[in-house]
Amino acid sequence: MKVDTSVRTYKNLINGEWVASAGGLAFDSVNPADVSDVVGRFQASIAEDAVAAIEAAENAFESWKAVAPSKRAEMMNRAADLLEANLEAYAAELTREEGKPLASSRMEVKRSAQTLRYYAYEGLNVSGDTLPSDDPTTFVYTKKEPLGVVTVITPWNFPISIPARKIAPALVTGNTVVFKPASDTPLIAFRLVEALQEAGLPPGVLNFVTGPASKTGAPLVAHPAVKAVTFTGSTSAGEAIHRSVRLSTRVQLELGGKNPLVVLEDADLEYAAELAVKGGFELTGQACTGTSRVIVLDAVHDAFVEKLVAKARTLKIGNGLTTGTEVGPLANANQLDTVLSYVAFGEEEGAKLVCGGERLTEGEYAFGYYVTPAVFTGVKPAMRIAREEIFGPVIAVIRANGFEDAVRIANDVEYGLSASICTTDEARMRYFVEHSQSGMVKINRPTTGNAYNAPFGGIKMSSTATFRESGRAALDFFTQVKTVYHGAMPVAARR
C-alpha cells in the first residue's frame, strides 16, 4: 500500500520523548464530513507502549509530588495560554476531526483553557483537617496526598474538554498521568498534551499513547503501578474496566445516559421545543447528557410536537467548517450504523417517524456520515428507542397522563445522568428535584451542558457514583487521606 507522505505522522509521548510505537504500525484519523480527508496519522500502540508509559509515570511520581503547588499552577496557566493563543487553529482541527460545528469547537477549546486555569488555583487549596483529641499531648490531623500513576481514558465527543477536566486535577494534586484518547479524535488530544508539555512538565509526568483499547487496555487498567483509572465512555466498556482493575485501584467511570426532558402543560411550548432541539440535536446528539426522550403531558402533546418538528426541519446540516451549519456529521461509521439501526427499530416497534432519520448521500454529503435529525411520536416506554442509549440525533416523544406519570416514566430507565423539566410551577419544580433519579437536574434548561466549577456525574448505570468530575469535587478522586497522630516525647526521655 502506498503511503501518503503529505499526511503528518504524530508520535506517542513517553518519558518526555516523542516516540513511535514499538509495534511499528500507525492508523489514520479521518474527517467524518469527508472521509477522503486524512487529518493525521497516529501510533497504533501495543501493550509494550502502554507499559513503557506507565513505568515512566511511576518513575516520575516521587519527584513530581514534591514540586511546589504554585509551580504546578504556573504550568497549568502556561498551557492555558498556549491553547488560547492557538484557539482558531485548534478549533478548526477539532471540527475537521470530530465533525461538530466550528462555533462549538471554539467554545470547547476555550473551555479547556478555562478548566486548566480553574484547577491551577484550586490545586492551591487542597487541605486536610485538624481534629480534637482526648489526649492533650497528641495533635491529630489529616493531610491529602496524591495517589500515584493515573490512567486517563477519554471519548471522542468532547475530545479536549473531557481530557482537560481529568488531567488537570490529576496533575495539580501531584499525580502522574498516562493518557489514551479515543482513536477517532487523537489530534486535538495531542494538542492538549503538546501544550502541557511545552508548559514545562518534567519527563514522565504526562505520557500519551494512541491506538486501539484492544491492544493497550489491559495494562492501562490492570498494571500494578496504576493507582487510579478515570474513564468516560459507554456503559459496557466501563463495566469491563470495573471488572479488570485491581482491588486497590480507584476507579471513576462516567458512562451512558437516556436523558429526559419533561414538558408540563404550563410550559412555554416554543421555549420547550428549543430546549429539546438544543439538547437532542446540537452536537448531532452525540453527548452523554443529550436529550433522547421528551415526556410531554397529554394536554399539550400535539402542540409541542408540531413546534418540535418545525424546528427540526429547519436545522442546517453540513460540514462543521461551513458557516451556518447547525448539525454536523456523526463521528464515525459505527455511529452512523447505530443511529440508522435505531431508526429502523423504532419503526418496527410501532413508533411513528414524523421527521428525519434519513441518511444524506448526495452532493456535499456524499463522503460523510450524515443523518437528518429524527423525531418519533407514539413511543411507548418499553420500546428500545425509549430505553437504550442511541448517541445520535434521535428524539423519542412520549405522552404522559399527568405530572407524576411523567416523573415515573422519566425514572423508568437504567440510566440516571441528566434530567430536565420545563414548567413555571415552583412546587412541581421542587418535586422533580426531589424525585428525579438523576445525578444532575435542570429546570427550564437543556439536559446538556455543565459548569466546569460544578460537580458532574450520574447515578444508576450512568456512573460508578463514587467520585464526581469537575469542580472542587474532582480533586477528591485524585487524593487520598492520611491521618497523623503527632505526640510529644515524654520530658524524661528528652534528657
Side-chain angles (χ1 to χ4, degrees):
M1 181 176 127
K2 185 178 179 181
V3 175
D4 181 1
T5 56
S6 67
V7 176
R8 178 179 170 183
T9 297
Y10 297 85
K11 296 182 177 181
N12 292 335
L13 178 67
I14 298 177
N15 200 31
E17 300 290 334
W18 297 103
V19 296
S21 167
L25 299 178
F27 68 96
D28 290 344
S29 174
V30 302
N31 182 348
D34 179 358
V35 295
S36 67
D37 176 24
V38 178
V39 177
R41 187 160 291 132
F42 294 84
Q43 303 305 305
S45 301
I46 59 175
E48 185 178 337
D49 301 308
V51 170
I54 292 165
E55 291 176 348
E58 184 181 25
N59 292 334
F61 173 62
E62 288 297 329
S63 59
W64 176 245
K65 78 174 185 178
V67 171
S70 61
K71 295 297 184 183
R72 298 184 202 136
E74 287 174 7
M75 295 177 201
M76 294 301 107
N77 281 317
R78 282 200 293 270
D81 290 342
L82 291 168
L83 292 183
E84 290 171 343
N86 293 282
L87 176 62
E88 289 301 320
Y90 291 173
E93 287 180 342
L94 198 168
T95 290
R96 191 169 153 228
E97 184 174 51
E98 196 273 346
K100 66 182 61 177
L102 188 57
S104 296
S105 294
R106 287 193 189 101
M107 188 179 303
E108 183 174 346
V109 175
K110 184 176 181 179
R111 178 190 178 90
S112 300
Q114 292 170 334
T115 297
L116 296 181
R117 295 194 194 285
Y118 173 78
Y119 284 112
Y121 294 105
E122 284 299 331
L124 302 175
N125 296 316
V126 176
S127 61
D129 297 310
T130 58
L131 304 168
S133 173
D134 287 341
D135 181 354
T137 67
T138 302
F139 173 39
V140 182
Y141 65 96
T142 65
K143 63 192 297 284
K144 291 185 177 180
E145 297 183 338
L147 304 175
V149 178
V150 175
T151 291
V152 174
I153 305 174
T154 57
W156 44 259
N157 59 331
F158 292 98
I160 185 169
S161 64
I162 290 178
R165 79 182 186 210
K166 293 176 183 288
I167 293 171
L171 293 178
V172 299
T173 49
N175 299 280
T176 54
V177 171
V178 178
F179 170 35
K180 195 201 89 64
S183 294
D184 286 303
T185 51
L187 178 54
I188 194 64
F190 173 91
R191 295 303 186 199
L192 174 62
V193 171
E194 184 180 50
L196 287 163
Q197 190 70 3
E198 291 182 9
L201 289 180
V205 172
L206 175 61
N207 303 273
F208 174 71
V209 292
T210 58
S214 61
K215 301 293 186 181
T216 59
L220 287 176
V221 302
H223 192 287
V226 173
K227 303 305 180 186
V229 177
T230 174
F231 167 83
T232 298
S234 71
T235 296
S236 60
E239 287 184 307
I241 290 172
H242 201 266
R243 288 191 297 268
S244 301
V245 297
R246 294 161 59 89
L247 178 64
S248 59
T249 301
R250 188 174 288 188
V251 292
Q252 179 185 61
L253 307 176
E254 290 303 331
L255 310 172
K258 194 65 181 174
N259 312 292
L261 170 65
V262 175
V263 180
L264 302 187
E265 76 281 358
D266 64 332
D268 179 323
L269 298 186
E270 189 75 22
Y271 181 66
E274 290 176 7
L275 294 182
V277 166
K278 182 176 179 62
F281 298 143
E282 195 174 76
L283 305 172
T284 322
Q286 299 174 128
C288 57
T289 54
T291 304
S292 54
R293 297 179 295 151
V294 180
I295 303 162
V296 189
L297 264 58
D298 183 73
V300 293
H301 175 276
D302 293 350
F304 170 82
V305 168
E306 182 179 347
K307 294 181 182 296
L308 174 61
V309 170
K311 291 181 182 296
R313 285 176 171 158
T314 63
L315 293 172
K316 182 178 179 182
I317 304 167
N319 189 316
L321 294 173
T322 303
T323 302
T325 292
E326 297 170 284
V327 178
L330 292 159
N332 54 52
N334 286 338
Q335 284 304 114
L336 174 67
D337 291 342
T338 296
V339 170
L340 294 176
S341 294
Y342 274 98
V343 170
F345 294 153
E347 292 187 294
E348 289 167 7
E349 291 183 316
K352 182 180 180 182
L353 181 62
V354 292
C355 77
E358 301 169 335
R359 183 177 182 186
L360 299 176
T361 58
E362 300 296 324
E364 65 179 298
Y365 305 116
F367 300 103
Y369 304 126
Y370 293 98
V371 174
T372 54
V375 176
F376 278 97
T377 59
V379 178
K380 304 301 181 185
M383 291 180 178
R384 293 184 66 177
I385 59 171
R387 305 195 69 79
E388 299 175 8
E389 185 176 43
I390 301 173
F391 222 65
V394 180
I395 289 178
V397 181
I398 304 171
R399 191 188 297 261
N401 295 324
F403 172 55
E404 291 188 8
D405 185 45
V407 175
R408 179 190 63 78
I409 294 170
N411 290 334
D412 187 29
V413 292
E414 65 177 350
Y415 298 105
L417 182 53
S418 180
S420 183
I421 188 169
C422 199
T423 182
T424 58
D425 188 321
E426 292 286 342
R428 292 196 288 186
M429 292 176 192
R430 291 192 296 272
Y431 183 96
F432 188 71
V433 169
E434 292 299 319
H435 292 85
S436 178
Q437 296 173 5
S438 182
M440 296 180 291
V441 179
K442 308 286 191 74
I443 299 170
N444 297 320
R445 291 295 180 269
T447 59
T448 50
N450 67 287
Y452 61 80
N453 62 340
F456 174 89
I459 61 174
K460 300 197 286 189
M461 294 300 286
S462 289
S463 173
T464 42
T466 49
F467 297 89
R468 290 295 190 234
E469 291 190 338
S470 294
R472 289 183 178 178
L475 298 169
D476 293 336
F477 175 73
F478 297 104
T479 57
Q480 56 195 347
V481 174
K482 178 179 284 183
T483 303
V484 181
Y485 295 80
H486 188 157
M489 186 71 70
V491 174
R494 286 184 280 156
R495 292 176 181 169

